[in-house]
Short mmCIF file of all heavy atoms in Angstrom, two decimals:
data_model
loop_
_atom_site.label_atom_id
_atom_site.label_comp_id
_atom_site.label_asym_id
_atom_site.label_seq_id
_atom_site.Cartn_x
_atom_site.Cartn_y
_atom_site.Cartn_z
N ARG A 365 -125.05 -117.12 55.47
CA ARG A 365 -126.50 -116.89 55.61
C ARG A 365 -126.92 -115.51 55.17
O ARG A 365 -127.92 -115.34 54.49
CB ARG A 365 -126.91 -117.13 57.08
CG ARG A 365 -128.38 -116.89 57.37
CD ARG A 365 -129.24 -117.95 56.66
NE ARG A 365 -130.66 -117.75 56.97
CZ ARG A 365 -131.47 -116.90 56.33
NH1 ARG A 365 -130.98 -116.16 55.34
NH2 ARG A 365 -132.73 -116.78 56.67
N TRP A 366 -126.16 -114.48 55.54
CA TRP A 366 -126.60 -113.11 55.29
C TRP A 366 -125.68 -112.34 54.35
O TRP A 366 -125.97 -111.20 54.00
CB TRP A 366 -126.73 -112.35 56.60
CG TRP A 366 -127.87 -112.85 57.43
CD1 TRP A 366 -129.20 -112.64 57.20
CD2 TRP A 366 -127.79 -113.66 58.62
NE1 TRP A 366 -129.95 -113.25 58.17
CE2 TRP A 366 -129.12 -113.89 59.07
CE3 TRP A 366 -126.74 -114.18 59.35
CZ2 TRP A 366 -129.41 -114.63 60.20
CZ3 TRP A 366 -127.02 -114.93 60.48
CH2 TRP A 366 -128.34 -115.15 60.89
N LYS A 367 -124.55 -112.88 53.97
CA LYS A 367 -123.64 -112.23 53.02
C LYS A 367 -123.24 -110.82 53.48
O LYS A 367 -123.30 -109.86 52.73
CB LYS A 367 -124.27 -112.16 51.63
CG LYS A 367 -124.60 -113.53 51.05
CD LYS A 367 -125.22 -113.41 49.67
CE LYS A 367 -125.55 -114.77 49.09
NZ LYS A 367 -126.18 -114.70 47.77
N VAL A 368 -122.84 -110.72 54.73
CA VAL A 368 -122.39 -109.45 55.29
C VAL A 368 -121.08 -109.03 54.63
O VAL A 368 -120.25 -109.87 54.29
CB VAL A 368 -122.21 -109.59 56.81
CG1 VAL A 368 -121.56 -108.35 57.41
CG2 VAL A 368 -123.55 -109.85 57.48
N SER A 369 -120.90 -107.73 54.43
CA SER A 369 -119.69 -107.24 53.78
C SER A 369 -118.47 -107.50 54.66
O SER A 369 -118.55 -107.52 55.89
CB SER A 369 -119.81 -105.74 53.49
OG SER A 369 -119.83 -105.00 54.70
N ASN A 370 -117.33 -107.67 54.01
CA ASN A 370 -116.09 -107.95 54.73
C ASN A 370 -115.71 -106.85 55.73
O ASN A 370 -115.36 -107.16 56.89
CB ASN A 370 -114.94 -108.17 53.75
CG ASN A 370 -115.11 -109.43 52.93
OD1 ASN A 370 -116.06 -110.19 53.15
ND2 ASN A 370 -114.21 -109.67 51.99
N PRO A 371 -115.76 -105.55 55.35
CA PRO A 371 -115.39 -104.51 56.33
C PRO A 371 -116.28 -104.53 57.57
O PRO A 371 -115.79 -104.31 58.69
CB PRO A 371 -115.57 -103.20 55.53
CG PRO A 371 -115.40 -103.61 54.11
CD PRO A 371 -115.98 -104.98 54.01
N LEU A 372 -117.57 -104.78 57.40
CA LEU A 372 -118.47 -104.81 58.55
C LEU A 372 -118.13 -105.97 59.48
O LEU A 372 -118.11 -105.81 60.72
CB LEU A 372 -119.93 -104.92 58.08
CG LEU A 372 -121.00 -104.90 59.17
CD1 LEU A 372 -120.92 -103.60 59.97
CD2 LEU A 372 -122.39 -105.07 58.56
N LEU A 373 -117.84 -107.12 58.90
CA LEU A 373 -117.47 -108.28 59.71
C LEU A 373 -116.17 -108.02 60.46
O LEU A 373 -116.06 -108.33 61.67
CB LEU A 373 -117.33 -109.51 58.82
CG LEU A 373 -116.93 -110.81 59.53
CD1 LEU A 373 -118.03 -111.25 60.49
CD2 LEU A 373 -116.65 -111.91 58.51
N ILE A 374 -115.18 -107.46 59.79
CA ILE A 374 -113.90 -107.17 60.43
C ILE A 374 -114.07 -106.15 61.56
O ILE A 374 -113.48 -106.27 62.64
CB ILE A 374 -112.89 -106.65 59.39
CG1 ILE A 374 -112.50 -107.78 58.43
CG2 ILE A 374 -111.65 -106.09 60.07
CD1 ILE A 374 -111.73 -108.91 59.07
N ALA A 375 -114.91 -105.13 61.33
CA ALA A 375 -115.14 -104.11 62.37
C ALA A 375 -115.79 -104.73 63.60
O ALA A 375 -115.40 -104.43 64.74
CB ALA A 375 -116.02 -103.00 61.81
N ALA A 376 -116.78 -105.62 63.39
CA ALA A 376 -117.43 -106.28 64.52
C ALA A 376 -116.45 -107.17 65.28
O ALA A 376 -116.43 -107.17 66.52
CB ALA A 376 -118.62 -107.10 64.01
N ALA A 377 -115.61 -107.91 64.55
CA ALA A 377 -114.63 -108.77 65.20
C ALA A 377 -113.60 -107.95 65.97
O ALA A 377 -113.15 -108.35 67.07
CB ALA A 377 -113.94 -109.65 64.17
N ALA A 378 -113.21 -106.80 65.43
CA ALA A 378 -112.26 -105.93 66.12
C ALA A 378 -112.83 -105.42 67.44
O ALA A 378 -112.13 -105.36 68.45
CB ALA A 378 -111.86 -104.76 65.22
N MET A 379 -114.12 -105.07 67.43
CA MET A 379 -114.76 -104.61 68.66
C MET A 379 -114.79 -105.73 69.71
O MET A 379 -114.57 -105.48 70.90
CB MET A 379 -116.18 -104.13 68.35
CG MET A 379 -116.24 -102.82 67.58
SD MET A 379 -115.41 -101.48 68.46
CE MET A 379 -116.39 -101.42 69.98
N ILE A 380 -115.07 -106.95 69.27
CA ILE A 380 -115.05 -108.08 70.20
C ILE A 380 -113.67 -108.23 70.83
O ILE A 380 -113.52 -108.44 72.04
CB ILE A 380 -115.46 -109.38 69.47
CG1 ILE A 380 -116.94 -109.31 69.08
CG2 ILE A 380 -115.20 -110.61 70.34
CD1 ILE A 380 -117.39 -110.46 68.21
N GLY A 381 -112.64 -108.12 70.00
CA GLY A 381 -111.28 -108.23 70.52
C GLY A 381 -110.94 -107.13 71.51
O GLY A 381 -110.34 -107.39 72.56
N LEU A 382 -111.33 -105.89 71.20
CA LEU A 382 -111.03 -104.77 72.08
C LEU A 382 -111.71 -104.92 73.44
O LEU A 382 -111.16 -104.52 74.48
CB LEU A 382 -111.47 -103.46 71.42
CG LEU A 382 -110.60 -102.96 70.26
CD1 LEU A 382 -111.26 -101.81 69.54
CD2 LEU A 382 -109.21 -102.54 70.78
N ILE A 383 -112.90 -105.51 73.45
CA ILE A 383 -113.63 -105.69 74.70
C ILE A 383 -113.15 -106.93 75.46
O ILE A 383 -112.94 -106.89 76.68
CB ILE A 383 -115.15 -105.80 74.43
CG1 ILE A 383 -115.68 -104.47 73.85
CG2 ILE A 383 -115.92 -106.16 75.70
CD1 ILE A 383 -117.09 -104.55 73.32
N ALA A 384 -112.99 -108.04 74.73
CA ALA A 384 -112.74 -109.32 75.39
C ALA A 384 -111.30 -109.52 75.83
O ALA A 384 -111.06 -110.14 76.88
CB ALA A 384 -113.15 -110.47 74.45
N PHE A 385 -110.34 -109.02 75.05
CA PHE A 385 -108.95 -109.31 75.38
C PHE A 385 -108.53 -108.79 76.76
O PHE A 385 -107.89 -109.52 77.53
CB PHE A 385 -108.02 -108.77 74.30
CG PHE A 385 -106.58 -109.15 74.49
CD1 PHE A 385 -106.11 -110.37 74.07
CD2 PHE A 385 -105.70 -108.28 75.14
CE1 PHE A 385 -104.78 -110.73 74.26
CE2 PHE A 385 -104.38 -108.63 75.34
CZ PHE A 385 -103.92 -109.86 74.90
N PRO A 386 -108.86 -107.55 77.10
CA PRO A 386 -108.47 -107.08 78.45
C PRO A 386 -109.13 -107.89 79.57
O PRO A 386 -108.56 -108.01 80.66
CB PRO A 386 -108.95 -105.63 78.47
CG PRO A 386 -109.05 -105.24 77.03
CD PRO A 386 -109.49 -106.47 76.32
#
Side-chain angles (χ1 to χ4, degrees):
R365 179 67 178 84
W366 291 287
K367 300 180 180 179
V368 172
S369 67
N370 293 356
L372 183 60
L373 179 65
I374 291 294
M379 289 302 299
I380 292 173
L382 287 170
I383 295 170
F385 186 83

